[in-house]
Amino acid sequence: MDPTSAVARSEHLVLFSRLGPSFRVRELERMLWTERSLFEYWVHILPTADLWVHRLSMRRYPTGGPRGTLKSRQKAAAWMAANASFRRYVLRELRVRGPLRARDLEDRIAPGHHSGGWTGDGRNVAGMLDELWNRGEVMIVGRDGQQRLWDLTERSLPTDQTHRSQRELTREIVERQLRARGLAKVGDFGVAFDGRPPGWERVLAELVKDGVAVPARVDGLDGEYFAHADLLGIPWTPRTVLLSPFDDLVSHRDHTEALFEFFFRLEIYVPKAERRWGYFVLPILHGDRLIGRVDAKLDRGSGVLHLPAVHAEDGTGASHGAAARRAIDELARWLGAADVTYGEVPRDWRRALTG
């Protein structure tokens, strides 16, 4: 998830890319806030049925797992210990009055513990809620505009899921992330939100022995890769679609560059004069290739989707431009844009995009 919405929120773009223009934001919100079949955790949207998988990260936070530096984890643990009464107050208020916004709660930080950073500048209540969220004690249960609504986890998510062994949990994380990655080095899958689950090496060896994780080599690349056996040789239907810059297909920049020969970096926080591609840049996926990228901004007042620049990768031609145009038009229709304007476009794509 990411709040940047030059075009649309990232999680909405991710679902649009996978589900197509039939995806509706209201359906996602229904599943999050009414059905509770989805929930938010570590800035991701997750299936509630997978809550048992993420209990590991909740139990280990903040002292376990390699997430962050040892010093930062020790600091978070010390802050929570020093503010035990603040924690009890927040949980009590949520139990009695919840759901609540952060501004509905008093700042009861312990004297001498205005630490700056994430708990400074009047954000102590938000900092406490975030810490309780990481520990799985509270959850986001809705929104009041841009304000998050918080409540006790036990009141918003099921707490009676079947207990699984540590080995089952580790195998689930390793196998599922390998399936999601498609093809990956051992360091690129099998990681919980706060780091590796215990026993992951043994589980990976079992998956290889069972024929589930298939060792592979990629021509021209060093190192051993793994693929999930279920994904080998299955039929698929190529599509051309625009991706969120936070999409998991491109979020691991080095992995994307190695496999797709596509150099991609997020430039939202780069000064405008130093940007190479643009502010909110959407890669263009065409079948099994990343063929270009689009700098895009939706003017919600006028209903115009502005594309200050479209960039094509080397080796593309007019046919790729036509495919990109179809993908852009599909995005515009889903956004409800009345028009699309183009700035800089590749010469070979000019007729397809602006003709």
Side-chain angles (χ1 to χ4, degrees):
M1 301 179 66
D2 189 87
T4 307
S5 56
V7 176
R9 287 184 62 99
S10 180
E11 61 271 24
H12 300 163
L13 284 172
V14 169
L15 289 166
F16 158 77
S17 296
R18 282 156 176 73
L19 302 177
S22 63
F23 165 65
R24 294 292 181 269
V25 173
R26 63 175 178 272
E27 291 299 300
L28 174 63
E29 293 178 341
R30 176 178 57 81
M31 297 173 75
L32 276 166
W33 314 132
T34 304
E35 292 182 359
R36 308 282 190 209
S37 56
L38 300 173
F39 72 104
E40 291 184 29
Y41 187 58
W42 286 82
V43 203
H44 283 72
I45 295 175
L46 306 165
T48 300
D50 289 351
L51 178 60
W52 69 277
V53 175
H54 304 290
R55 287 290 189 192
L56 171 67
S57 297
M58 296 174 186
R59 289 194 304 267
R60 296 200 299 185
Y61 187 84
T63 56
R67 180 80 177 205
T69 64
L70 176 61
K71 184 177 180 180
S72 68
R73 287 185 280 122
Q74 289 174 334
K75 183 178 179 181
W79 191 86
M80 287 296 289
N83 286 284
S85 62
F86 188 9
R87 168 184 170 273
R88 289 193 296 270
Y89 157 73
V90 170
L91 293 176
R92 183 174 64 250
E93 289 297 297
L94 289 174
R95 186 176 301 281
V96 174
R97 301 167 51 215
L100 298 174
R101 301 161 297 185
R103 70 186 187 190
D104 297 325
L105 296 162
E106 298 175 13
D107 184 346
R108 296 194 179 184
I109 187 77
H113 283 275
H114 293 268
S115 62
W118 61 270
T119 56
D121 302 324
R123 293 199 69 251
N124 295 309
V125 172
M128 175 59 73
L129 287 167
D130 281 343
E131 289 294 287
L132 294 174
W133 187 29
N134 290 335
R135 291 157 62 121
E137 296 186 70
V138 305
M139 286 290 152
I140 300 167
V141 298
R143 278 183 167 74
D144 179 10
Q146 296 299 314
Q147 294 285 312
R148 296 184 289 188
L149 293 173
W150 298 90
D151 206 350
L152 301 176
T153 299
E154 63 194 58
R155 205 150 58 192
S156 58
L157 295 177
T159 57
D160 58 348
Q161 290 185 342
T162 303
H163 175 74
R164 313 291 180 91
S165 68
Q166 181 62 63
R167 180 184 172 281
E168 289 178 302
L169 173 60
T170 300
R171 183 172 177 119
E172 189 78 15
I173 291 173
V174 173
E175 180 178 353
R176 190 180 300 191
Q177 286 197 348
L178 176 59
R179 183 190 296 271
R181 278 292 180 197
L183 185 72
K185 289 185 175 180
V186 68
D188 297 331
F189 65 95
V191 183
F193 280 128
D194 63 335
R196 295 276 193 186
W200 67 268
E201 296 115 319
R202 184 172 62 255
V203 163
L204 178 57
E206 292 174 357
L207 291 172
V208 172
K209 182 180 178 181
D210 294 343
V212 176
V214 180
R217 297 192 66 82
V218 180
D219 288 345
L221 298 181
D222 295 330
E224 184 178 44
Y225 286 79
F226 291 88
H228 197 291
D230 289 353
L231 302 180
L232 299 177
I234 62 173
W236 66 293
T237 303
R239 295 179 60 214
T240 305
V241 69
L242 303 183
L243 303 176
S244 161
F246 298 94
D247 195 292
D248 275 348
L249 188 66
V250 295
S251 62
H252 188 332
R253 311 305 188 196
D254 293 339
H255 182 73
T256 300
E257 187 173 359
L259 293 184
F260 292 93
E261 297 182 336
F262 186 81
F263 179 85
F264 184 66
R265 295 294 185 271
L266 191 67
E267 297 183 311
I268 289 174
Y269 306 109
V270 174
K272 184 175 181 179
E274 299 176 19
R275 292 175 192 146
R276 179 180 179 185
W277 308 110
Y279 175 75
F280 196 78
V281 176
L282 313 179
I284 308 170
L285 176 66
H286 177 65
D288 59 359
R289 291 184 61 190
L290 290 163
I291 61 170
R293 61 200 86 201
V294 175
D295 182 21
K297 181 174 179 57
L298 176 65
D299 185 332
R300 291 171 175 81
S302 65
V304 175
L305 178 62
H306 296 288
L307 308 182
V310 178
H311 305 275
E313 290 293 285
D314 292 341
T316 60
S319 63
H320 297 98
R325 172 63 184 268
R326 291 192 295 271
I328 291 168
D329 288 346
E330 181 181 67
L331 174 65
R333 287 193 298 272
W334 177 70
L335 293 169
D339 194 14
V340 179
T341 65
Y342 290 87
E344 176 188 348
V345 297
R347 183 181 62 183
D348 290 345
W349 292 14
R350 188 170 297 136
R351 181 183 296 275
L353 295 180
T354 63

